[in-house]
Amino acid sequence: MKKTIVSTNRLMILAMMMVMTISANAMSYNAAKNEALFLSDKMAYELNLTAAQYEAVYEINLDYLMSLNGHADVFGIWWDRRNADLRYVLNSWQYDKYVALSHFYRPVAWKAGSWTFAVYSHYNRGRFYNDRPTVFVTYKGGNNRRDVRFYADRKVTKPAVHHANNVPAKVNKSSNGSTWRNTGNTSRPATTTKPNGHSNGNRQIAMNTNNNRSGSGHFGGRR
């Protein structure tokens, strides 16, 4: 009888330890939204996203990060869903560039018992180009668990033309009806393609630590 009780207790302890391990691997909401913000801000900069695209990309990235519970999820069903949602949100040239940039396409890795983010090998922490999306405070996740055509049916506004080096100043409507203006110097530096397909121009800008506050980015300048 005692042996049975001891065995049962051991099984319960092992089960609790497994649950604790799984929970330890999951990303908290606060951590996920901050990482999603940093990643989405850089995607907005490099892919020339509209304000509406920026909102949707943030939601998609947050959903992906909040769905990660361990190594198996990094390139699992939620990664596939992220790519499928981004196909609806991005133009064809934007999606092709997204796939070509591994720090966007494969943004997360599980190494040595913790999450690592590839975008930090290209941009300094704390460096932002745009204001926070309006959904940063209100969106809590869950769109990726709805119908697979959720973003297709939203018909997110996309740029009509790919401006390779210059983004014209313009006024557009954000998703909440307010206006945003592209301000500051919109001229981008020439980039040099590296053997791995990445460009170094954007990285050089991101590593610039001067305190010039004249403004840059697509949605209202630096924060």
Side-chain angles (χ1 to χ4, degrees):
M1 182 69 177
K2 290 183 178 180
K3 289 183 177 180
T4 302
I5 294 175
V6 171
S7 298
T8 302
N9 288 338
R10 286 179 177 176
L11 289 173
M12 291 178 63
I13 291 172
L14 287 173
M16 290 176 63
M17 290 177 64
M18 290 177 66
V19 170
M20 290 174 63
T21 301
I22 292 173
S23 298
N25 292 347
M27 203 176 303
S28 69
Y29 167 69
N30 285 334
K33 76 172 187 175
N34 288 326
E35 297 298 345
L37 175 64
F38 192 86
L39 176 61
S40 302
D41 176 80
K42 306 311 171 290
M43 291 177 67
Y45 177 77
E46 294 204 45
L47 303 180
N48 190 29
L49 302 184
T50 65
Q53 285 179 311
Y54 184 37
E55 301 277 327
V57 166
Y58 170 77
E59 292 177 353
I60 293 168
N61 285 331
L62 178 62
D63 280 342
Y64 169 66
L65 295 179
M66 289 181 64
S67 299
L68 300 179
N69 288 305
H71 181 270
D73 293 326
V74 173
F75 301 121
I77 184 174
W78 301 117
W79 184 67
D80 291 336
R81 178 60 194 266
R82 174 179 183 250
N83 292 331
D85 284 342
L86 287 174
R87 278 188 179 276
Y88 292 127
V89 171
L90 303 178
N91 276 343
S92 59
W93 67 263
Q94 290 175 315
Y95 190 85
D96 289 343
K97 185 173 182 179
Y98 155 74
V99 172
L101 298 174
S102 62
H103 54 290
F104 293 159
Y105 188 55
R106 301 175 184 273
V108 184
W110 176 257
K111 296 181 180 178
S114 62
W115 300 109
T116 61
F117 301 89
V119 70
Y120 292 113
S121 65
H122 296 262
Y123 292 93
N124 287 344
R125 290 179 181 273
R127 177 67 164 91
F128 289 87
Y129 293 94
N130 311 293
D131 292 329
R132 293 172 177 174
T134 57
V135 294
F136 179 76
V137 176
T138 59
Y139 183 64
K140 305 299 182 181
N143 286 346
N144 64 339
R145 299 177 187 274
R146 300 184 183 184
D147 179 63
V148 294
R149 290 187 53 84
F150 178 79
Y151 286 97
D153 295 336
R154 286 182 66 172
K155 298 178 180 178
V156 176
T157 303
K158 306 174 185 180
V161 180
H162 177 198
H163 301 283
N165 295 313
N166 296 291
V167 182
K170 56 187 177 182
V171 176
N172 283 328
K173 291 287 185 179
S174 67
S175 59
N176 64 356
S178 61
T179 60
W180 57 268
R181 181 182 296 274
N182 192 7
T183 60
N185 181 6
T186 57
S187 178
R188 296 184 180 178
T191 59
T192 302
T193 302
K194 296 182 178 180
N196 63 1
H198 295 172
S199 61
N200 65 3
N202 292 332
R203 184 177 182 182
Q204 290 173 353
I205 292 177
M207 295 181 68
N208 182 6
T209 56
N210 65 47
N211 293 320
N212 179 4
R213 297 184 180 277
S214 61
S216 65
H218 296 184
F219 315 115
R222 300 176 189 168
R223 288 193 290 107

